[in-house]
Amino acid sequence: MVNKKSKKRTFKGMSYCEVQGANSKNRNKLHKEDKRWLKDNGYRNVGWDNIIKLYQKIEEIVDRYPFEDLTLEELFIEADRIGNKYLTAQEREEFNQKLAQEVNEIAEEIDRQFPDTEIEVIDFSKKNSNNSRKKRNQKSYRTVKF
């Protein structure tokens, strides 16, 4: 008799244990109410059919709150991206021109109120290594005024 090996079953390229592990990991990211809902509705992490259903349901739940873990900066970027979808190229260009003009006016006002008349240059280049210990311990910068 020829012993035929059955082909191993996989889901999205993952073995049974890998799907179980992914379910456990992703389930921990859910809110307490969602975890309780899964349990109350019979979603279990045992058996091929059950782990696949659980995996799909967890993905569905996680997709409901995609912006929850984003930083404030990432949220602003996402809001800008969404807002730009509803603007034409001409409207975006006009907005960017107005913004650039405002930024330039603010910069000019700052320069007017806080004039910077001195320029400081610091020279960090190495000095001749044959100098004495005293010279090596001296600071190696100089200020140049224009």
Side-chain angles (χ1 to χ4, degrees):
M1 281 178 77
V2 177
N3 193 4
K4 293 183 179 180
K5 289 187 176 180
S6 62
K7 188 176 179 182
K8 286 190 175 182
R9 187 172 175 186
T10 60
F11 175 71
K12 292 190 176 185
M14 295 184 285
S15 70
Y16 179 83
C17 290
E18 290 171 330
V19 177
Q20 278 186 315
N23 284 345
S24 296
K25 181 181 171 189
N26 292 331
R27 187 178 181 280
N28 288 333
K29 296 177 184 176
L30 300 178
H31 294 188
K32 193 174 185 177
E33 312 85 59
D34 293 326
K35 291 178 188 179
R36 182 172 291 126
W37 185 90
L38 287 171
K39 185 177 180 179
D40 293 344
N41 288 288
Y43 287 92
R44 299 176 47 209
N45 206 15
V46 178
W48 264 111
D49 293 336
N50 291 334
I51 66 171
I52 291 171
K53 288 177 187 175
L54 179 61
Y55 185 92
Q56 292 168 336
K57 194 56 158 177
I58 290 173
E59 272 188 336
E60 182 182 314
I61 293 171
V62 168
D63 287 343
R64 279 192 241 154
Y65 37 87
F67 302 118
E68 207 163 272
D69 295 332
L70 297 179
T71 64
L72 186 59
E73 180 182 7
E74 292 168 331
L75 286 171
F76 276 115
I77 291 170
E78 185 64 20
D80 187 49
R81 184 190 65 77
I82 291 169
N84 283 337
K85 282 195 324 190
Y86 300 102
L87 297 175
T88 65
Q90 182 181 1
E91 290 172 327
R92 281 192 297 268
E93 183 64 31
E94 287 174 5
F95 173 79
N96 287 336
Q97 286 177 352
K98 288 179 184 177
L99 179 63
Q101 182 180 358
E102 287 287 327
V103 169
N104 286 336
E105 289 173 6
I106 291 169
E108 288 173 4
E109 185 64 24
I110 290 171
D111 288 342
R112 189 182 66 73
Q113 290 185 14
F114 304 101
D116 191 15
T117 57
E118 293 184 14
I119 298 175
E120 185 176 356
V121 178
I122 301 174
D123 182 11
F124 289 104
S125 63
K126 294 194 175 198
K127 299 289 181 188
N128 189 355
S129 61
N130 293 334
N131 291 343
S132 67
R133 179 190 274 201
K134 187 176 181 181
K135 284 193 172 188
R136 275 185 276 158
N137 290 337
Q138 289 178 348
K139 295 180 182 175
S140 61
Y141 70 91
R142 61 188 142 126
T143 303
V144 179
K145 295 182 182 181
F146 293 97

